[in-house]
Amino acid sequence: MYLTIGIITNPVLANNNRGENEGNLQTLQKVTTREGSKVILTGNSIRYAARDSMQAAGAHLWREILDEPEEKNNAGYGYATKSGKRVPAMADAIPDSATDYDDTILFGYMVAKKGNNNEATKQRGNVEVSNAISTTPYSGGTSFRQGLKASASPNGTVDLAPYSQEDHFTRFQYTVTANLGTISKRPGALPYFLRSLLSLRVGGSHAANANEVTPAVVFWRFHKAPGRGGLYLGAGLDIRTNVPVDLAPLAAHCKNLGITDYQVAGVGQAKSVAEAIEEMITRANEEMARFVSKS
Amino acid sequence: MKSLRVLASSGHYKNPGQVGQSEVQTSAPIAPPACVQGCLESLVGEPWRSFRGQFAYGYDEEPRGHGFLVRQAHVLSSSGVKPKATGAMMEGIRTVKVETYFDLSYRIAVKGPWEQKVADALAGNVSRFGVLSLGESSDVVTWIDEAPPTQNTRWIVPGNRMALIIESGRGFDRITARYGTFDFGPRPHWFGEPEGVDDDFLDVLDLFSEGK
């Protein structure tokens, strides 16, 4: 059994999921579509944000973002060993099984070190997050920022370091799919992840660019067959920021695919997103328990 | 024969080879035959390289989007991934730009003993691992159903437009790839068994008239 969730977010000022800089312009990650240039929040960055939220909620994670310098590497991660100590190198903390931790059962893991079979040590994940695509084309907006150089110049002054960053005020849409059968080996992990979707700090969100990606509308369905979630609405979706979310494209999309069993919650709906998430957790727990009792 | 409509949110079909810091990790313009075969095996919950029968595939529509996504790639090394004592870069991690297609619409046709397995999978009657993908694991299949082929389908056929991996194999100490050269055509080419089917083209119009 699978759970597929489609999400259309509240408007957010996207200026954090950066691509590579062009000179002193911090760019956004974009994709060229028939409808113009659309901004992307990658599935990787959404998963990173979910993992961050799960850590704050007390999930038992293999990879954590740490403060103690002796336990973390230069990316800020520390990996759990069997003794409970955290180490900076994942190669020194290879899990025995993906079921050992809440993040490994959901997202999988790969340690880029050759094991006994001369291959990387890895386990595929059971939750996949699509790239989030903006519902409006990027129109070229930038903002001017003023930084300071870290070091003084030879005459003792500290120079200004002006830069610009691309901004795009938009909604995003993305989907999440979970294989409940395989997650049932560690069922307590899934609720942490689903509740994290209520508010995600995607793409850095440092002090100057704090924003949270929150769902305005969610739509979901449980389905037995793989690949039949059907709730990804595509890069051509056009939903403006200054109006309520129009669900006509969702209805038309599902009608086209013959999907009739999806549910909707959020702004303007009978059920709130938070209520919907709890409902999904309850049903998912039932499905996972059923799977365990059958096997 | 089973004719499947397969939709995927994104697709990156990595061309093998190392990519340097800040370089582009290019993608084949369409999923290679080896990738499609792997997707079918994953769909029905069977092991790698277990497919028996024949399959053909192509695009029903051109991908709706194209871009380059910045990613931190963890490079496989015999010494593992260790942090450097100083500096912002971690040993074994490179920033690469991954060429990615968006909103893909495939047609995959299957003939032979795996038709029933595919039918069982679409009915939800198979035990399998993970989420169904076509490409990388994050290139999720968002919809799959049985639907007749269309006149617009551009099938993958032998030709000279592009090189695609037809088989992933295990060499002496690593996974290797065997390539074929292909083009798009109006009628399908069948991959798989039995041998010698390369010239066995199927008339698409017959599929409509005979309801296959």
Side-chain angles (χ1 to χ4, degrees), chain A residues 67-115:
Chain A
D67 294 324
E68 290 80 13
E70 61 273 10
E71 288 185 346
K72 68 174 183 179
N73 57 33
N74 288 355
Y77 301 139
Y79 297 90
T81 59
K82 291 191 203 56
S83 66
K85 185 173 177 299
R86 294 254 164 206
V87 296
M90 64 172 87
D92 296 331
I94 299 175
D96 288 333
S97 162
T99 59
D100 290 348
Y101 302 96
D102 292 329
D103 51 344
T104 51
I105 188 69
L106 297 179
F107 307 132
Y109 65 93
M110 190 187 85
V111 179
K113 176 183 178 181
K114 290 181 182 176

Side-chain angles (χ1 to χ4, degrees), chain A residues 2 20 29 31-35 74 89 92 119 123-124 126 128 179 182 225-228 230 232 234-235 257, chain B residues 22 62 64-66 69-70 81-82 87 97 102-103 121-122 128-131 133 137 140 142-145 170:
Chain A
Y2 300 83
E20 285 201 319
Q29 297 225 49
V31 58
T32 303
T33 73
R34 298 175 202 173
E35 289 75 27
N74 288 355
D92 296 331
E119 291 180 351
Q123 176 66 63
R124 176 148 180 190
N126 294 296
E128 295 294 347
N179 182 336
T182 37
R228 284 179 65 83
Y232 176 74
L257 297 182
Chain B
S22 295
E62 290 299 305
R64 204 178 182 93
H66 178 251
L69 302 185
V70 176
V81 178
K82 301 276 185 186
K97 287 174 277 201
F102 291 83
D103 289 15
L122 294 184
R128 54 179 302 287
F129 189 89
V131 174
S133 306
S137 59
V140 175
T142 58
W143 186 251
I144 179 170
D145 64 351
R170 189 174 296 282

